[in-house]
Amino acid sequence: MSGEALLNAVRAGRTVEAAGLLDGMTDGERRACLPALKELRKELRTAPWNAESRVAYPALHAAGAACHTGAAGAATWIAAADMRWSQASPGVLLHVLGDRESDWLADLTHRLAGRPVTSRLPFALLSGLVGLSGCEVPTTDAYVQGWFEHIGASWHSGGTVVQRLRKEPHLPRMIAALFESLEVTGRITWLFGDGPGSWYNALAELTEEGDLDRKVLVDACVARLLRGGVPADQRVFLRLLSSLGPTREEERERTSDWTALACQAVPAVAWHAQSVLAALALDGELTSRQLAEMSSGVLFRTEKKLVRAQLVLLGKVLRHDPSTADVLLPAVAEAFGHEDTEVQERALKLVERHVTALPDSGDARDRLGELADDLSPGLRLRAQRLLGIEALGSASVVQEEVLPPVPERARLATAPDSVTELAEEVSALLASGGGVAAFERTLDGLVRHAHRDRDALVEALGPVVARFWWGDGDSRYSNAGRHYRESPQGLEVVLATLFEQIDMDTLHAAVQQGTTSGNCHHSALSRAFEARLWEVSYRLRADPMPFLLATPTWDTGLLEPDELVARLTEYRRLDARPGTADFAQALLRVRRDDPATAAAAAARARALGSPEGYRLAQWLAAEGPLLPESRRRTSGVRILLELGELEDIQGLFPPEFRHLGRPFTVFKDRWYCRHWGVRGLQHWPAVVPGRRELVAARLLGDISTAAVEDSRADAAILPLLAEADGEAGEALHLCVAYGLGARHPEDRLAAVDALLVLAARGQLDAGRLGADIGELVRRGALKQSRLAESIRTAAATGAYATVWSVLRDLLPVLLADLTADGAGGGPVRGLGELLAVAADCAERSGARGDLAHLAGTAERRGSSKVVTQARRLRTALTQEAAA
């Protein structure tokens, strides 16, 4: 009877009554109530989420916890996600659990404390269980975070942080747990705050009072900084360490720790460690060997502020004690290999100032001579003269140009022979996206096996399509046709057709009417690509083709004419009907750059006597591939291209392919474009292989957004365009220019890859690219600081002559704008970096000659980076070559 009363009280949400009933029950009676409570929980899970359903949850939460006689089961019930937002209060839970044995409560406490922080268990419950059980306080992430939040909640406890901490019996253990956890710090950083009442001051005050062990706390701070982590967490421990105010003795005892932090920690921590070591060094409490060890690490850091401060420190020590030159000057020379030539020059000046303190021969001078090889060519000659090393001629420092290997075409493998192997390749392609080669051979494999034995193919593909939302659906209730009508999604539409998830009316309409989406800048490419997919899908159901005609021979999309003739011959033998879109795609892909091969293939095609044979012969005999006339247009800060008509992609081509040859107008915009982040973008160059300018012009607007509007991944296709076949003209060079000034590093890196590939293939028009970049910078479309990073990355690969050839036409445009402003307030951000890269490239490539407006910049007063690097570049371009 008591069990029924408990269930009624729980269902009605009468928590106090339920707690009273539980108090009078034995363990056996409680266990007997548990099945009914579980059934009620299942019922509530499916009930609407409203006030009526939630009213029972607090009472159910408490009753279920009390009726579990095992600690594991009780912990699982209490932390259940479905009751997280309507739990019983900690007071009620502690009341109904209070009659348990202390060992049982201790087990429950540690199980709950070990739950993830995301379980959001109330700290009042956890701390209450610790008090009831008398167990050792847990140091899990959930408990530690709850403890810090509890102490930091002044509205809950009253008083200041330090006053609340003084009342805590487990203070040392909880503070120690903070240093051990890698997760908690980031979640409670907001609690530490600033001002006199902050945690930092509170812990420092408790340390002074002796409530916390000072040495333990200082060691813990240093150890946590050495452990590393995200900058926000590191700043917490650095601030705490500073609040403790380590004495000079405490700092001196940890010299090796400061050295490690200065060399490897995040910048804020490294700066602090460097300042501590600098003070020790200037007071003579750091040996020259220790300072040299520290300098070797710091001088390799990328943060220029740290590197320059270290060079200043070394200079002060050398002035104070010249006898340390034999140890410290080789350490200074470690900066000779720094990527910033200004740092190299600072280090060389320091060596020049103190090299007289070295003996005429010895290990230190030998080491300086070795490290001098890492200097930029101009500084290297200066260092060699300084050290008395036989100076090498300027011609000997010219470095051989290093460019990536020229991409070679790869021949496509034949389609898999077995349906099992084909299913594996389909699965891999769906997971990875794949390239042209993988996609085309897999598509051809699906067509071939569907023609041979469709049932076997469907059976093999069953596990593959199970991942799709329509994979186990009934076609009568599936809207796959409507879904893919908007976009075929590559192979997905073919697979859905094989499994009869798309009705024949939809397939027929797609073939007859083409795409349902409006026109946009990309639609010409997408229409042609998708027309073939819809045709393949339709023919799979209506009239399976034995194989595809347009499967390319090479991974760039090109199709050998002899191979296409052989396929048409086989179609003729089988009396098979070629697909209209498939044949049109084959024509666009067939290679026509070898007149002799094309003429021979045309004769064999004409001999077939079929309409497709005559059409192929006519196509092979025509001149091609042709490119349309282009015209520059401006849109805001952007420079875009418009294309004229291509008559050869008209006439007998299907309607969906004729858009490729129609004029392309920049300002004929459509508000709707479905190609944002669309899959299959990598296949578009293979739609018109040999005419990549058609693709580049239509993608130019998207790629420009990577620089102008800071979008991400729009320039990712640039390496594919650089590797594609065809002329590298105005559109592609503008695309690369925009990519070099993109907001995100991955887009800039893609543009650098494209630039280097074009250079390796001998297709880079450096003058055009430099002039385009200059014009875009002048219009405000590109930022010089981003360009500088991209150009520096390209030069670092060893392509110094290539990069210089681009900068040679870019810099005069930027320097002209600078010198035109008499006050020197022109656009200089990033210009100094570009000049530094240019000087490095000129020195390493042996470039000579005059550069417009360089002399005027170099003759300016001051020592800004722009002026300094302009002088260096002028010196590199005008120095005499060695005889």
Side-chain angles (χ1 to χ4, degrees):
M1 190 66 182
S2 59
E4 185 177 347
L6 175 64
L7 188 61
N8 290 334
V10 168
R11 187 179 290 276
R14 297 191 294 270
T15 306
V16 175
E17 180 183 339
L21 291 171
L22 288 166
D23 287 342
M25 289 185 179
T26 64
D27 284 351
E29 290 173 333
R30 291 184 179 186
R31 281 196 299 271
C33 294
L34 192 57
L37 294 173
K38 290 181 177 180
E39 286 300 319
L40 176 58
R41 181 181 175 186
K42 289 181 182 179
E43 178 186 330
L44 291 177
R45 282 175 180 168
T46 59
W49 187 248
N50 52 35
E52 289 75 13
S53 66
R54 293 202 306 271
V55 70
Y57 270 109
L60 177 62
H61 191 234
C67 291
H68 275 87
T69 54
T76 301
W77 183 279
I78 292 171
D82 58 327
M83 290 186 281
R84 185 172 301 165
W85 305 111
S86 297
Q87 296 182 355
S89 67
V92 171
L93 288 173
L94 293 173
H95 173 79
V96 299
L97 296 172
D99 58 350
R100 298 289 186 179
E101 295 179 356
S102 57
D103 289 345
W104 189 94
L105 288 171
D107 187 12
L108 175 65
T109 302
H110 286 281
R111 287 180 183 274
L112 290 176
R115 292 273 173 168
V117 174
T118 51
S119 297
R120 303 302 301 172
L121 291 167
F123 178 73
L125 173 62
L126 298 177
S127 61
L129 288 172
V130 170
L132 284 176
S133 65
C135 67
E136 188 177 49
V137 63
T139 56
T140 62
D141 287 349
Y143 194 90
V144 173
Q145 179 172 331
W147 183 84
F148 272 91
E149 291 176 347
H150 171 73
I151 296 297
S154 58
W155 59 268
H156 180 72
S157 305
T160 63
V161 171
V162 70
Q163 290 170 343
R164 294 193 291 276
L165 288 174
R166 288 195 183 103
K167 300 175 184 178
E168 285 296 316
H170 307 293
L171 176 62
R173 181 173 174 81
M174 298 311 297
I175 296 300
L178 171 65
F179 291 98
E180 295 170 2
S181 173
L182 289 176
E183 302 294 331
V184 171
T185 311
R187 297 193 182 101
I188 64 172
T189 301
W190 62 274
L191 283 171
F192 281 76
D194 293 306
S198 68
W199 274 83
Y200 305 110
N201 291 340
L203 293 177
E205 186 175 339
L206 291 172
T207 302
E208 292 177 4
E209 294 172 359
D211 292 328
L212 293 172
D213 188 304
R214 177 181 178 81
K215 184 178 185 306
V216 170
L217 207 57
V218 171
D219 285 341
C221 284
V222 174
R224 185 56 189 267
L225 293 174
L226 287 168
R227 195 175 183 180
V230 298
D233 292 358
Q234 293 291 81
R235 282 194 289 270
V236 170
F237 297 106
L238 178 61
R239 175 77 179 277
L240 178 56
L241 179 62
S242 300
S243 299
L244 294 174
T247 65
R248 178 53 62 88
E249 180 61 29
E250 289 173 329
E251 291 176 339
R252 187 167 51 248
E253 290 173 354
R254 296 168 177 81
T255 299
S256 59
D257 294 332
W258 304 126
T259 300
L261 291 173
C263 297
Q264 301 173 5
V266 298
V269 177
W271 181 258
H272 175 80
Q274 185 186 48
S275 63
V276 171
L277 291 171
L280 292 172
L282 294 175
D283 289 345
E285 298 184 70
L286 202 67
T287 67
S288 58
R289 293 290 177 187
Q290 290 174 317
L291 181 57
E293 178 187 356
M294 167 205 178
S295 300
S296 296
V298 174
L299 292 177
F300 271 102
R301 294 189 66 116
T302 57
E303 298 87 1
K304 297 175 185 177
K305 180 180 177 182
L306 286 168
V307 174
R308 290 169 181 168
Q310 192 67 23
L311 291 174
V312 170
L313 171 62
L314 289 166
K316 290 180 179 179
V317 174
L318 284 166
R319 281 197 305 272
H320 182 264
D321 186 4
S323 65
T324 60
D326 61 331
V327 176
L328 295 185
L329 284 185
V332 171
E334 296 286 352
F336 288 174
H338 199 276
E339 62 179 13
D340 188 349
T341 55
E342 285 191 359
V343 171
Q344 294 181 15
E345 187 168 10
R346 284 173 180 263
L348 181 56
K349 286 180 178 179
L350 190 55
V351 171
E352 289 172 336
R353 196 175 300 128
H354 298 281
V355 73
T356 54
L358 293 177
D360 293 337
S361 61
D363 294 339
R365 278 187 176 271
D366 293 342
R367 180 59 178 160
L368 290 176
E370 294 172 4
L371 293 173
D373 291 338
D374 296 330
L375 287 165
S376 64
L379 295 176
R380 189 186 314 157
L381 293 172
R382 183 169 142 191
Q384 289 168 342
R385 288 193 295 268
L386 170 70
L387 298 171
I389 301 172
E390 183 179 351
L392 301 174
S394 60
S396 65
V397 300
V398 174
Q399 297 186 7
E400 183 179 354
E401 181 78 347
V402 178
L403 291 172
V406 176
E408 297 183 359
R409 297 172 183 163
R411 183 178 285 272
L412 263 68
T414 57
D417 289 330
S418 70
V419 291
T420 302
E421 184 182 354
L422 176 62
E424 292 175 353
E425 295 204 5
V426 169
S427 180
L429 186 63
L430 292 172
S432 65
V436 171
F439 177 84
E440 290 290 345
R441 70 186 297 268
T442 304
L443 181 63
D444 186 48
L446 290 172
V447 171
R448 289 174 182 269
H449 284 286
H451 183 265
R452 295 175 194 168
D453 189 345
R454 179 180 170 181
D455 292 339
L457 176 61
V458 169
E459 181 180 357
L461 290 172
V464 177
V465 303
R467 72 181 72 179
F468 293 117
W469 53 274
W470 48 261
D472 56 355
D474 190 326
S475 62
R476 293 174 297 173
Y477 309 108
S478 169
N479 62 350
R482 184 172 58 190
H483 173 76
Y484 290 119
R485 192 72 176 89
E486 178 75 9
S487 174
Q489 301 294 316
L491 287 184
E492 290 186 24
V493 68
V494 180
L495 296 174
T497 302
L498 279 171
F499 283 80
E500 299 185 0
Q501 294 300 307
I502 304 178
D503 60 80
M504 286 298 294
D505 289 341
T506 300
L507 293 171
H508 186 265
V511 171
Q512 294 297 317
Q513 302 169 12
T515 182
T516 60
S517 61
N519 292 328
C520 65
H521 292 169
H522 321 90
S523 61
L525 295 162
S526 64
R527 280 174 180 268
F529 178 70
E530 293 169 4
R532 184 162 167 253
L533 289 174
W534 281 115
E535 181 182 78
V536 166
S537 301
Y538 175 74
R539 293 287 298 272
L540 285 176
R541 297 275 296 277
D543 180 18
M545 295 180 285
F547 52 82
L548 293 176
L549 294 174
T551 303
T553 307
W554 307 99
D555 60 352
T556 60
L558 283 177
L559 172 60
E560 290 296 329
D562 290 341
E563 195 165 338
L564 179 54
V565 172
R567 291 174 186 173
L568 286 174
T569 303
E570 182 65 11
Y571 260 71
R572 180 79 178 213
R573 188 187 70 80
L574 296 172
D575 196 23
R577 180 170 60 90
T580 303
D582 186 38
F583 181 62
Q585 180 64 88
L587 290 179
L588 289 176
R589 285 178 171 171
V590 71
R591 189 167 65 87
R592 295 188 287 169
D593 57 357
D594 185 346
T597 302
R604 290 193 298 274
R606 190 176 294 105
L608 291 175
S610 65
E612 289 77 20
Y614 285 120
R615 180 76 177 94
L616 175 59
Q618 181 185 19
W619 182 258
L620 290 173
E623 181 184 359
L626 302 176
L627 289 176
E629 294 183 358
S630 62
R631 180 177 64 163
R632 288 197 173 207
R633 299 295 298 271
T634 58
S635 176
V637 299
R638 307 180 203 223
I639 299 174
L640 302 174
L641 286 181
E642 293 186 335
L643 302 179
E645 187 174 13
L646 272 176
E647 294 184 0
D648 65 330
I649 311 182
Q650 299 292 323
L652 299 178
F653 274 88
E656 292 296 272
F657 283 78
R658 294 173 193 166
H659 296 275
L660 292 168
R662 290 177 182 166
F664 170 66
T665 306
V666 171
F667 299 108
K668 194 176 180 181
D669 288 330
R670 295 293 182 270
W671 285 104
Y672 173 70
C673 176
R674 63 178 174 85
H675 301 100
W676 296 106
V678 69
R679 291 181 296 171
L681 199 71
Q682 69 273 26
H683 300 294
W684 290 356
V687 173
V688 282
R691 309 193 209 207
R692 58 181 164 185
E693 281 288 287
L694 291 181
V695 182
R698 286 173 166 83
L699 293 177
L700 184 56
D702 298 299
I703 296 174
S704 70
T705 63
V708 178
E709 299 176 14
D710 296 347
S711 64
R712 186 188 293 272
D714 282 313
I717 196 173
L718 284 176
L720 288 178
L721 290 176
E723 295 174 6
D725 297 300
E727 178 185 338
E730 193 172 16
L732 182 54
H733 281 78
L734 274 172
C735 285
V736 174
Y738 281 118
L740 292 172
R743 163 67 175 82
H744 297 284
E746 59 267 33
D747 286 317
R748 293 197 296 269
L749 189 58
V752 169
D753 288 343
L755 185 153
L756 296 176
V757 168
L758 289 173
R761 299 181 69 181
Q763 298 173 339
L764 178 68
D765 187 336
R768 166 182 276 173
L769 179 60
D772 285 344
I773 294 174
E775 188 174 356
L776 289 171
V777 170
R778 177 175 284 172
R779 293 183 61 85
L782 302 183
K783 295 181 179 178
Q784 294 180 83
S785 55
R786 296 176 184 174
L787 279 172
E789 186 173 339
S790 299
I791 296 296
R792 186 189 308 112
T793 301
T797 66
Y800 298 109
T802 297
V803 172
W804 168 249
S805 65
V806 174
L807 291 172
R808 183 179 55 209
D809 289 273
L810 165 62
L811 288 175
V813 179
L814 306 182
L815 294 174
D817 290 341
L818 181 67
T819 55
D821 188 337
V828 297
R829 186 176 182 184
L831 180 56
E833 295 292 338
L834 283 172
L835 286 167
V837 178
D840 196 39
C841 291
E843 291 172 347
R844 295 177 185 273
S845 65
R848 299 291 182 270
D850 188 25
L851 196 68
H853 308 292
L854 178 63
T857 305
E859 290 168 3
R860 283 172 173 260
R861 283 183 278 179
S863 58
S864 67
K865 185 159 190 171
V866 170
V867 174
T868 302
Q869 295 301 327
R871 292 168 183 165
R872 178 184 164 213
L873 175 58
R874 182 176 61 175
T875 301
L877 293 175
T878 58
Q879 66 182 357
E880 293 290 335

